[in-house]
Amino acid sequence: MYATRTKETAENVLIVGSMAFDDLELPSVNAKDVVGGAATYAAYAASLFAPVRIVAVVGEDFPRSVLEELGERDVDCAGVEHAKGKTFRWAGRYAANLASRETLDTQLNVFADFRPKLPASFTDSPFVLLGNIQPQLQLDVLSQIKTPRFVAADTMNFWISGERKKLGEVLSKIDTLMINDEELRQLADIHNIRRAAAAVRKLGPKRLIVKRGEYGAMLFDEEGVFFTPAYPLEDEVDPTGAGDSFAGALLGYLAAVGTLDGASMRRGLRLASALASFCVEGVGPSKLKAVERADVMMRVEALRTLTKTGG
Amino acid sequence: MYATRTKETAENVLIVGSMAFDDLELPSVNAKDVVGGAATYAAYAASLFAPVRIVAVVGEDFPRSVLEELGERDVDCAGVEHAKGKTFRWAGRYAANLASRETLDTQLNVFADFRPKLPASFTDSPFVLLGNIQPQLQLDVLSQIKTPRFVAADTMNFWISGERKKLGEVLSKIDTLMINDEELRQLADIHNIRRAAAAVRKLGPKRLIVKRGEYGAMLFDEEGVFFTPAYPLEDEVDPTGAGDSFAGALLGYLAAVGTLDGASMRRGLRLASALASFCVEGVGPSKLKAVERADVMMRVEALRTLTKTGG
């Protein structure tokens, strides 16, 4: 069922988003200067299944070795702008139960002046993941792509409250919106998830994916509702980037199978949930980037069993 | 797959717990003197599938019509003690999102001196649901039943912190513990659900069911982990009694199929999740008691589809 084309025959996934350094205060450990950012996590995940193109900006302090490592995974970093100054930096502290976090510091640095410019070789990208950046920048990226087959976007409370009009324009141009349940409620101004999803789909996106962290993820599309649980981990270390890994995995999977029907989306969600669980098991992307397809498929099977009554 | 015996051939389910009046401050409505209590909700749910026996206490103010109505559903109320005084009363206010509630008032009344005594005709009950009452009373009930086939128990934070020793004795004597995730974490003193479940199963219960409200329910047993989502409702009105309806439905289903293997438990959990969703759609047990088997089976099917990738 999960037979995908090899990466060589998969279509390309373009990812735009942040590349960053994170300082993480985790219940189990404190870690400084962890390479992170939405585009980084999403690229690690997607590149397990399809060739990836990143559009992002880094400063002079960003390690070349990371870009080289990404390159070895078929991640084309030609769209990563090297700007004068420091890389975007985020510092956060997680609660003991990892269920919430507080931002201790944000330094936009080179990200403040980020104006995504796509290399000519990127403009034919069929699969596009617009990471959580200013809606105008998401639109700028989209306008540079000729005929995308599938566009998914992420967003956040900050843009929902402050850039609603531009966000509305984004919504009218994408296939799939991927947000968490609180963002969905804020965007629709409806508490009930099901009715909120219906309201948001009327704003443009054919499909809505609601990320619910340890409680899994839901898909709302023309076939109805689909739900995948999160893989129940025995050891949760660091949820940073799990949502971005989820998004990257879904796009990578879709680019590999090349189909966008309801069954593909559902299988993609389950696979994305499986892959995101690995992300949570390590500090930063450490575990995520070590995972192989076979590991993911074992968890996909475990997720299938998890909701199967059998007999 | 869900073919159950008719109620006439199903085994008996004994339920011990509270019968009460609830004053509910809900986002959509305020309702006073709503007939509730764990035993009431569980009995309404279980009696859809099996004959039920209630052990509880009510005061002089409890409406005879409710007991008659239960009687018409094959709920034997011979174990309902009619005590001098007032029925147990609870008043609570729900948050706008229904995700949390605060207790405004608790009047134990006749429940304060409740010493469950089983009619002789109840002592052969094969399926037993020990509702959330003092652990010593759960033990007292259990000691009066000759050879139960299946015993499930509920408990709460109050007994976990205050009656841990007696609760330990209960745990050593039951098949299945049904609690919510915060109670599980408190009982095991472990945050991770999976490890907490393993620790609690070492205290006695062969199986652990974790109720997670709108996020569904999990079963931990010798076959592994099973998860059922909650049915995604479009209109949530009142979650009061949903957990008790869930428990009652599971026991009723098991008493109807008469088997306790992993597949039966898993199907039972899904069915319990389906039935509990109806409870949330009405104030008090109003919707729950109007539901028919066919309604439940449609939601069971919807829950199955919800986690199915298809294709």
Side-chain angles (χ1 to χ4, degrees), chain A:
Chain A
M1 275 206 336
Y2 271 90
T4 62
R5 286 186 275 177
T6 60
K7 259 174 73 172
E8 288 64 39
T9 59
E11 300 192 54
N12 282 287
V13 178
L14 182 139
I15 295 168
V16 58
S18 59
M19 298 185 86
F21 287 118
D22 295 335
D23 291 342
L24 307 169
E25 292 190 20
L26 298 161
S28 55
V29 68
N30 288 350
K32 284 201 171 295
D33 303 328
V34 178
V35 170
T40 314
Y41 282 101
Y44 276 124
S47 61
L48 210 51
F49 306 100
V52 173
R53 297 158 169 179
I54 294 190
V55 177
V57 61
V58 298
E60 295 154 306
D61 53 353
F62 198 81
R64 182 151 293 275
S65 61
V66 171
L67 300 175
E68 284 165 5
E69 188 186 272
L70 285 165
E72 282 160 24
R73 295 174 68 104
D74 290 318
V75 178
D76 185 340
C77 294
V80 178
E81 179 191 338
H82 296 257
K84 233 178 143 64
K86 286 185 171 174
T87 300
F88 176 51
R89 182 173 282 274
W90 179 79
R93 180 187 296 141
Y94 283 87
N97 62 13
L98 293 173
S100 64
R101 68 183 192 188
E102 98 189 83
T103 291
L104 300 175
D105 189 28
T106 304
Q107 296 172 22
L108 288 179
N109 298 330
V110 297
F111 200 64
D113 298 313
F114 179 43
R115 298 290 172 274
K117 272 178 298 292
L118 271 58
S121 60
F122 282 18
T123 60
D124 66 348
S125 301
F127 288 79
V128 180
L129 176 58
L130 303 172
N132 166 28
I133 55 175
Q134 206 181 332
Q136 182 59 57
L137 299 187
Q138 293 180 318
L139 291 168
D140 290 349
V141 169
L142 212 45
S143 71
Q144 296 173 60
I145 300 172
K146 287 174 199 150
T147 50
R149 274 192 64 196
F150 179 81
V151 180
D154 189 5
T155 193
M156 70 186 292
N157 48 8
F158 188 70
W159 311 124
I160 295 171
S161 57
E163 296 275 355
R164 188 170 281 259
K165 204 172 154 222
K166 279 288 168 202
L167 181 58
E169 213 176 309
V170 172
L171 293 179
S172 74
K173 292 182 176 175
I174 62 175
D175 298 280
T176 299
L177 179 67
M178 305 170 84
I179 53 181
N180 69 37
D181 39 9
E182 281 319 307
E183 290 158 355
L184 169 61
R185 286 167 172 144
Q186 187 192 357
L187 180 56
D189 198 19
I190 294 172
H191 181 78
N192 180 278
I193 292 279
R194 197 159 183 166
R195 281 188 286 131
V200 166
R201 286 181 61 215
K202 282 192 185 141
L203 302 177
K206 259 209 295 219
R207 298 177 202 85
L208 176 75
I209 292 170
V210 187
K211 298 178 285 183
R212 308 184 100 181
E214 64 163 319
Y215 299 112
M218 296 177 88
L219 165 73
F220 295 87
D221 66 5
E222 57 194 12
E223 292 185 19
V225 194
F226 172 73
F227 172 83
T228 177
Y231 179 82
L233 291 169
E234 297 211 354
D235 199 16
E236 292 147 319
V237 175
D238 176 14
T240 310
D244 303 310
S245 307
F246 180 95
L250 176 63
L251 273 277
Y253 174 76
L254 294 173
V257 294
T259 48
L260 295 168
D261 56 296
S264 301
M265 292 300 298
R266 283 159 174 74
R267 286 198 287 267
L269 244 78
R270 188 180 278 164
L271 178 127
S273 185
L275 185 48
S277 74
F278 287 103
C279 182
V280 179
E281 287 185 299
V283 175
S286 59
K287 185 88 185 270
L288 173 67
K289 66 189 191 189
V291 161
E292 297 183 10
R293 272 197 192 203
D295 305 320
V296 183
M297 295 329 287
M298 276 177 64
R299 285 213 178 155
V300 165
E301 184 53 29
L303 284 175
R304 202 180 64 82
T305 306
L306 192 63
T307 55
K308 214 182 139 194
T309 56

Side-chain angles (χ1 to χ4, degrees), chain B:
Chain B
M1 278 209 327
Y2 272 89
T4 63
R5 286 185 275 175
T6 60
K7 258 175 75 172
E8 287 65 38
T9 59
E11 301 192 53
N12 282 287
V13 178
L14 182 140
I15 296 169
V16 57
S18 59
M19 298 185 85
F21 287 117
D22 294 335
D23 291 342
L24 306 169
E25 292 191 21
L26 299 161
S28 55
V29 68
N30 288 350
K32 284 201 171 296
D33 303 328
V34 178
V35 170
T40 314
Y41 282 101
Y44 276 124
S47 61
L48 210 53
F49 306 99
V52 172
R53 298 158 169 178
I54 294 191
V55 177
V57 61
V58 298
E60 294 153 308
D61 52 353
F62 198 82
R64 182 150 294 275
S65 62
V66 172
L67 299 176
E68 284 165 5
E69 188 187 272
L70 285 165
E72 281 159 25
R73 295 174 68 103
D74 290 319
V75 178
D76 186 341
C77 294
V80 177
E81 180 191 337
H82 295 258
K84 235 180 143 63
K86 287 185 171 178
T87 301
F88 176 51
R89 182 173 281 274
W90 179 78
R93 180 187 295 140
Y94 283 87
N97 62 12
L98 292 174
S100 63
R101 68 183 191 188
E102 99 190 83
T103 291
L104 299 174
D105 189 27
T106 304
Q107 297 171 19
L108 288 178
N109 298 330
V110 298
F111 201 63
D113 298 315
F114 179 43
R115 297 291 172 274
K117 270 177 300 291
L118 270 58
S121 61
F122 282 18
T123 59
D124 66 348
S125 301
F127 287 78
V128 180
L129 176 58
L130 303 172
N132 167 28
I133 55 175
Q134 205 179 334
Q136 181 59 57
L137 300 186
Q138 294 180 317
L139 291 169
D140 290 349
V141 169
L142 211 46
S143 71
Q144 297 173 59
I145 300 172
K146 287 174 200 151
T147 49
R149 274 191 65 197
F150 179 79
V151 181
D154 190 4
T155 194
M156 70 186 292
N157 49 7
F158 189 69
W159 311 124
I160 295 171
S161 57
E163 297 274 354
R164 188 170 281 258
K165 205 173 155 224
K166 280 289 168 202
L167 181 59
E169 215 177 306
V170 172
L171 294 179
S172 74
K173 292 181 177 177
I174 61 174
D175 298 280
T176 299
L177 179 68
M178 304 170 84
I179 52 181
N180 69 36
D181 40 9
E182 279 320 306
E183 289 158 354
L184 169 61
R185 285 166 172 146
Q186 187 192 355
L187 181 56
D189 197 19
I190 294 172
H191 181 79
N192 179 277
I193 293 279
R194 198 159 183 165
R195 281 187 287 131
V200 167
R201 286 180 63 215
K202 282 194 184 139
L203 303 177
K206 260 208 296 218
R207 299 176 201 86
L208 177 75
I209 293 169
V210 187
K211 298 179 286 183
R212 309 184 100 181
E214 65 163 319
Y215 298 112
M218 297 177 88
L219 165 72
F220 295 87
D221 67 4
E222 56 194 13
E223 291 185 18
V225 194
F226 172 74
F227 173 84
T228 177
Y231 179 82
L233 292 169
E234 297 211 354
D235 198 16
E236 292 147 319
V237 175
D238 176 14
T240 310
D244 303 311
S245 306
F246 180 94
L250 176 63
L251 273 277
Y253 173 77
L254 294 173
V257 294
T259 47
L260 295 168
D261 56 297
S264 300
M265 292 298 301
R266 282 158 174 73
R267 286 197 289 266
L269 244 79
R270 188 181 278 165
L271 177 128
S273 186
L275 185 48
S277 73
F278 287 103
C279 182
V280 180
E281 288 184 298
V283 175
S286 59
K287 185 86 185 272
L288 172 67
K289 65 189 191 187
V291 162
E292 297 183 10
R293 272 196 193 204
D295 305 321
V296 183
M297 296 327 288
M298 277 176 64
R299 286 212 178 156
V300 165
E301 185 53 30
L303 283 176
R304 203 180 63 82
T305 306
L306 191 62
T307 55
K308 213 181 139 194
T309 55

